[in-house]
Amino acid sequence: MRSHPRSPVRPGASSRAGVSRRGEALFLLAHGAPFAIALGVLGIELSPAHDLVTGPVLTTTPALAALTMGPVGTLSAATLAVGVNVTSATYNHSWGTQTQLIIGNFLGLIVVSVVSVILSNAVRTRRQSELDQVRRIAVAAQEVVLRPVPELLGPVRAASMCLAAETGALVGGDLYEAVQTRYGVRLIVGDVRGKGLSAIRAVAVALGAFREAVHYEDEVREVMNHCAAALRREAAVPGTYSQAELPEVLMEGFTTALIAQVPDAPVVHVVNRGHPPPLLLRQGAAQALMPVSPQPPLGLEDLVHGPPAPPDGYPFLPGDRLLFYTDGVIEARNRDGDFFPLPQTMEHIPADASPQEFLDEVHEALIRHTEGRLTDDVAMILVDRLA
């Protein structure tokens, strides 16, 4: 079995990683500020400078915690503040001499803590509601563009699946389609770099070009050329991308794509433009259909000179299964950083599973591997050769 090549580092990935690390550092700093303040007040109260009035400073800890933490974190900060207040009063023997001041500090802490917990819970509920609404809209938009493939297409049975990442509300640029034509069954799987509306726009453009070209182009390679030309035209239209989207488009303006054609003969023709190779499952063994002459993704044609490579042909016999997928599948990692073992997973799925049951098994294995923490969208198409 051939191993899968790891995808190259995407342009701009290092700069975005640096920005992400700085954002995480700032978030952690804000997250720990309330506890740092409480511990700082405790240090002052246990030092010779305990005559300083620190009660008002200590009262701010639950309010600050409410800005970055939920009700549990806010309550933890309030509990710590109360503990610091009790410890300092006991250590400095203030219960008899400054009882009114201590009681005032306690009342202030209680009032601020209760209000902070209530506000934190309200903010979290509202934020989650807004995120759910944005995700529903984004997924609905994606479902309009990506329709499920038919169960029966000429000589093959088929099934499709698209999974959104759980880390945010942005929908990625995964695309797929399968169409029965006079040339045989033609299908496409691809991945537009980027997220959000710009990615959905590019997906719609590529799929629109594919759905039109598959019916009148004799050569499957020309179908791919139509998709590439459509994406170039779209990117050249003034005002297509906003100023916020433009830097990402310029740095990552390419699309990996794979188009396959399954004629009546027991063969499959594949044009692969920088996409992960499909996996052929035959008699319980999975093998990657590596391209004979690797080609660049769509949008990077200027980097390669010379005549384009012809489509690659591979035997596709009755009983064979062919899985097309996006890199979100093979790049999914567990807590130890191990990649998802897609070939081994395919080999352990029962041979009598239907295409949809097969994809459901892969989905469940993927969720188990990542513990439900998908970091990238996933798209898959499975085709079974019937005759």
Side-chain angles (χ1 to χ4, degrees), residues 186-387:
R186 287 177 167 178
L187 57 89
I188 183 174
V189 177
D191 186 3
V192 177
R193 297 312 183 201
K195 293 282 186 181
L197 294 178
S198 62
I200 290 294
R201 185 185 298 116
V203 167
V205 170
L207 287 179
F210 172 81
R211 289 164 179 163
E212 179 181 3
V214 288
H215 292 288
Y216 65 82
E217 285 293 348
D218 296 339
E219 295 289 336
V220 66
R221 185 174 59 189
E222 289 302 316
V223 178
M224 182 72 80
N225 292 339
H226 274 275
C227 297
L231 289 171
R232 286 196 300 269
R233 289 194 301 269
E234 178 70 13
V237 175
T240 299
Y241 299 102
S242 66
Q243 292 298 320
E245 297 170 333
L246 194 57
E248 183 177 15
V249 172
L250 293 176
M251 296 178 67
E252 296 194 353
F254 65 93
T255 299
T256 65
L258 182 149
I259 295 181
Q261 176 175 296
V262 182
D264 292 334
V267 66
V268 58
H269 301 288
V270 177
V271 175
N272 192 336
R273 297 289 298 271
H275 199 74
L279 285 171
L280 177 68
L281 185 63
R282 175 178 296 158
Q283 297 180 352
Q287 180 181 12
L289 302 184
M290 304 297 295
V292 176
S293 300
Q295 301 181 59
L298 306 182
L300 301 180
E301 295 85 356
D302 295 340
L303 300 179
V304 177
H305 302 284
D312 297 321
Y314 308 92
F316 188 32
L317 309 178
D320 288 351
R321 285 186 154 166
L322 199 53
L323 179 65
F324 303 88
Y325 53 92
T326 56
D327 58 7
V329 181
I330 55 174
E331 292 182 356
R333 301 187 186 217
N334 58 15
R335 291 186 180 272
D336 297 328
D338 300 323
F339 289 102
F340 177 62
L342 181 58
Q344 292 82 354
T345 301
M346 293 176 60
E347 293 172 351
H348 285 87
I349 297 177
D352 59 351
S354 67
Q356 191 58 58
E357 291 172 344
F358 188 96
L359 292 184
D360 290 339
E361 292 279 353
V362 175
H363 174 208
E364 292 177 4
L366 184 63
I367 295 301
R368 287 195 301 268
H369 182 78
T370 61
E371 299 181 6
R373 297 176 291 108
L374 288 178
T375 58
D376 194 6
D377 291 347
V378 167
M380 295 180 287
I381 291 183
L382 181 75
V383 292
D384 283 0
R385 184 85 195 201
L386 297 177

Side-chain angles (χ1 to χ4, degrees), residues 5-75:
R6 293 188 181 180
S7 300
V9 178
R10 302 175 183 176
S14 59
S15 61
R16 289 198 311 277
V19 173
S20 176
R21 285 193 293 269
R22 287 195 295 272
E24 291 178 359
L26 291 175
F27 178 79
L28 291 175
L29 183 62
H31 209 68
F35 300 100
I37 291 174
L39 294 177
V41 169
L42 179 62
I44 293 175
E45 291 293 337
L46 299 181
S47 71
H50 62 83
D51 290 336
L52 294 175
V53 179
T54 57
V57 178
L58 197 61
T59 307
T60 64
T61 55
L64 291 175
L67 298 176
T68 57
M69 292 181 280
V72 174
T74 303
L75 189 60

